[in-house]
Amino acid sequence: MQIYLPIAELPVNIFLILFMGIAVGFISGMFGIGGGFLMTPLLIFVGIAPAVAVATVASHIAASSFSGVTSYWRRRALDLALAMMLLAGGILGTLAGVWLFSVLRRIGQLDLTIALSYVVLLGAVGGLMITESARAIFRARSGRPAVVRRPGSHIWIHGLPFKLRFKQSRIYVSVIPVWAIGFFIGFVGAIMGIGGGFLLVPALIYLMRVPTNVVVGTSMVLTLVTMASATVMHAVSNHQVDAVLALILMVGGVIGAQFGARAGQRIRAEQLRLLLGILVMMVGLRFAYNIVVQPDDLFSVRVIGEL
Amino acid sequence: MIRALAVGLAFAMGLAAWPAGAQRLVTSLSTHRVQITANFTGAELVLFGSVERDAATVARPGSYDIVITVSGPRQTVVTFRKARVLGIWMNTDSRTFINAPSYLAVLANRPIAAIADADTLRRLQTGLEQTLLPQEVGGDIADVVPGDPFRQAFLRLKVERGLYREQVNAVTFLTPALFRTAIPLPDNVPTGAYEVDIKLFADGAMLARQTTALEIVKAGFEQFVADAARDYGFAYGLAAAMMAILTGWLASVAFRKD
């Protein structure tokens, strides 16, 4: 069944989009991530303009993360104070990202920037996750106990001033790295059309020493607010949010996420991280292939003004 | 720039008026308003026309030729060219086309080159190759040679998307004076005001010309969403964000286990 998308200005198969929503939702529920890094490329692949894809996926991620936040909130498994501090940076980062998005769109370098960001970030994060989880699996196989990082171990970040105590996370850290992380996640999220959960979760665990039981819920609060505000900002500055497309994606996404979450509970944590690492790496490599191999068509056209 | 365009337009209209004499075109379009609704997957309009000849005009030995040009709302379009920089393919060069039609269909009854000589076709902007595509060159507006790679690439990409086309067998003569054609509108057709320009040729000269208008609009819900996104960006964005939160909340309620 075809449905005409009012902003993307082309008809799409409603079941294809719904299926994409369910599939990405399944993965996002399984790994506790938003899934934007999969959804945005998929939408571009089916012919939706990158600008519309990025802006629309923001609202889709907002929906799936709200559903996640409510369930973590019921279990009190999130640190609201830490989330608010991350948000202070996140909102500024989103504003900067949406601004840069408009500029890049105007000068014709948006597609390349999106592709390069995917290659660098996904390649790096995917690579780290694969090596880290492979080591953990290898250790478990050989029967040696895992090397536990003691919560008290300090790195240079803990020497920074303006320290705050976050009770829920039981950490005492400077707000500067918290703001910086929030800013970075908001910034790349707005440009790449991703929530940034797959970046934020490792950053909070390894840099901030946030306990793993509150980290996913806290990350989802940040994702929810940055993506909801990115939706509004993209709507104001680029007019590229397609509400019809967003609704189909959301409905598919929240259904898929529920089944994904159940499937995820049956897999061991380090195996789950390895799978996610491979997935992230593959998406990054796909983008690398696109910009390194000579394209079929060297030319492209973009409408910059209507009369 | 605007004055130059206006002068050009007046010149073109003067030319159009000049050869009109004994032949007259009467045309009818199946609809003047195409509505894009949620189930829009493209459309086809039918245009009928007849060549009327007054009693004093002698019948021409050769048959008539018809060229119909349908052009969509004008746009400013940038054509980018990629080149390899440090091992990465990126847009390095671009040309800006001013007032390029977003949609352009040239429909004729036989190859356009056979209908009139190259000069006439170029003067009347008949055929894709002959259409003026002014570029912005350092603040100035100029058309370029037909072989310009950016112009060629622009035409090719538009043809690939189904937005530009030149069909040389699209006009059918039902009788020597009665013709019909189908105007194909693809599913990605731009909305706005269209112009349908019908030219009558015989023996390489234009005898008559007629224009009619066509409008393609989003209708119903599609129109409501598109208007809201364009005119009330902030409220639209808020509504989209609220919709996200509501969907997420409904899901968490529906799938709640405890």
Side-chain angles (χ1 to χ4, degrees), chain B residues 12-231:
Chain B
M13 284 161 83
L15 276 178
W18 172 66
Q23 271 86 3
R24 205 161 64 88
L25 276 170
V26 179
T27 59
S28 161
L29 195 58
S30 56
T31 177
H32 289 276
R33 191 179 166 87
V34 177
Q35 297 198 330
I36 295 185
T37 51
N39 55 7
F40 181 79
T41 53
E44 197 171 71
L45 302 186
V46 179
L47 183 133
F48 275 102
S50 128
V51 183
E52 307 242 304
R53 189 155 49 87
D54 62 29
T57 314
V58 288
R60 287 178 169 259
S63 56
Y64 292 123
D65 287 312
I66 293 285
V67 182
I68 295 158
T69 308
V70 185
S71 46
R74 305 275 159 165
Q75 293 174 328
T76 303
V77 183
V78 185
T79 302
F80 293 101
R81 180 164 63 187
K82 286 193 175 70
R84 189 170 235 154
V85 180
L86 302 171
I88 292 169
W89 288 91
M90 61 183 290
N91 293 332
T92 49
D93 207 355
S94 69
R95 297 286 183 278
T96 306
F97 293 93
I98 311 285
N99 292 338
S102 53
Y103 172 92
L104 185 64
V106 181
L107 311 164
N109 59 320
R110 62 190 180 115
I112 289 180
I115 290 176
D117 61 65
D119 269 352
T120 313
L121 291 176
R122 200 161 47 241
R123 203 180 60 230
L124 295 168
Q125 289 199 49
T126 303
L128 285 192
E129 285 298 325
Q130 287 74 29
T131 303
L132 276 180
L133 289 173
Q135 288 184 12
E136 194 178 72
V137 184
D140 247 346
I141 310 287
D143 196 19
V144 289
V145 289
D148 175 55
F150 284 92
R151 185 192 151 95
Q152 290 299 323
F154 174 76
L155 288 176
R156 179 173 51 77
L157 286 166
K158 290 292 250 183
V159 169
E160 278 171 14
R161 289 184 192 176
L163 292 172
Y164 277 23
R165 65 181 69 217
E166 185 173 298
Q167 279 173 257
V168 294
N169 52 2
V171 178
T172 323
F173 275 95
L174 306 171
T175 72
L178 184 68
F179 61 90
R180 118 183 240 290
T181 190
I183 301 170
L185 301 175
D187 56 20
N188 55 348
V189 71
T191 54
Y194 281 63
E195 191 193 70
V196 183
D197 178 27
I198 305 122
K199 297 191 200 79
L200 171 70
F201 290 88
D203 302 329
M206 188 171 76
L207 301 182
R209 183 176 196 173
Q210 212 212 356
T211 56
T212 179
L214 165 66
E215 194 185 17
I216 300 182
V217 290
K218 286 177 191 161
F221 181 67
E222 308 298 306
Q223 180 191 27
F224 172 75
V225 173
D227 286 353
R230 196 186 54 237
D231 301 333

Side-chain angles (χ1 to χ4, degrees), chain A:
Chain A
M1 196 178 89
Q2 299 277 316
I3 185 165
Y4 187 87
L5 300 175
I7 307 297
E9 298 196 322
L10 81 174
V12 290
N13 188 322
I14 188 167
F15 296 114
L16 174 73
I17 300 293
L18 196 64
F19 175 75
M20 277 165 46
I22 292 173
V24 174
F26 184 86
I27 292 166
S28 76
M30 190 163 159
F31 299 117
I33 53 170
F37 76 94
L38 289 168
M39 187 55 93
T40 308
L42 274 177
L43 289 180
I44 295 172
F45 182 73
V46 297
I48 288 159
V52 178
V54 167
T56 305
V57 165
S59 64
H60 163 243
I61 302 172
S64 55
S65 52
F66 187 80
S67 156
V69 164
T70 50
S71 76
Y72 282 97
W73 177 250
R74 271 188 225 118
R75 286 183 272 145
R76 294 287 180 272
L78 53 85
D79 187 334
L80 213 53
L82 180 62
M84 288 303 142
M85 277 299 148
L86 285 166
L87 267 176
I91 296 285
L92 280 180
T94 307
L95 263 176
V98 171
W99 170 79
L100 187 65
F101 185 90
S102 311
V103 172
L104 291 169
R105 202 157 97 87
R106 202 164 55 234
I107 61 172
Q109 299 299 355
L110 179 65
D111 299 7
L112 177 74
T113 311
I114 291 178
L116 272 180
S117 318
Y118 269 91
V119 172
V120 173
L121 279 176
L122 271 62
V125 173
L128 282 173
M129 289 177 89
I130 290 171
T131 47
E132 185 272 332
S133 54
R135 258 191 223 139
I137 291 171
F138 180 74
R139 268 198 309 267
R141 287 264 167 83
S142 61
R144 268 182 290 162
V147 187
V148 184
R149 283 169 201 254
R150 265 176 293 131
S153 57
H154 278 55
I155 50 173
W156 61 271
I157 284 175
H158 297 88
L160 292 170
F162 308 114
K163 286 199 165 188
L164 270 183
R165 194 173 297 282
F166 297 101
K167 286 197 185 110
Q168 193 82 32
S169 306
R170 278 178 267 117
I171 53 167
Y172 180 59
V173 288
S174 160
V175 292
I176 294 170
V178 176
W179 282 343
I181 291 172
F183 183 89
F184 182 71
I185 301 288
F187 184 72
V188 297
I191 292 176
M192 296 167 66
I194 57 173
F198 75 99
L199 296 171
L200 184 57
V201 170
L204 289 181
I205 292 177
Y206 295 118
L207 298 178
M208 298 281 99
R209 304 269 186 268
V210 177
T212 38
N213 60 332
V214 296
V215 82
V216 175
T218 309
S219 145
M220 276 186 170
V221 174
L222 181 76
T223 307
L224 167 65
V225 183
T226 50
M227 286 296 109
S229 41
T231 303
V232 177
M233 292 177 209
H234 274 303
V236 171
S237 65
N238 295 306
H239 309 288
Q240 298 288 322
V241 179
D242 196 308
V244 176
L245 178 61
L247 184 62
I248 305 170
L249 291 177
M250 283 172 199
V251 171
V254 293
I255 294 170
Q258 297 295 330
F259 293 103
R262 274 166 222 180
Q265 284 158 5
R266 298 206 196 99
I267 306 176
R268 290 173 49 181
E270 60 267 26
Q271 286 169 338
L272 210 56
R273 284 206 302 277
L274 179 64
L275 284 176
L276 180 60
I278 292 171
L279 189 69
V280 167
M281 194 65 160
M282 272 163 50
V283 177
L285 286 177
R286 181 71 187 85
F287 273 91
Y289 176 82
N290 272 2
I291 56 173
V292 171
V293 173
Q294 175 164 4
D296 292 337
D297 199 334
L298 294 180
F299 289 92
S300 58
V301 293
R302 181 150 314 128
V303 177
I304 57 165
E306 311 264 344
L307 278 152

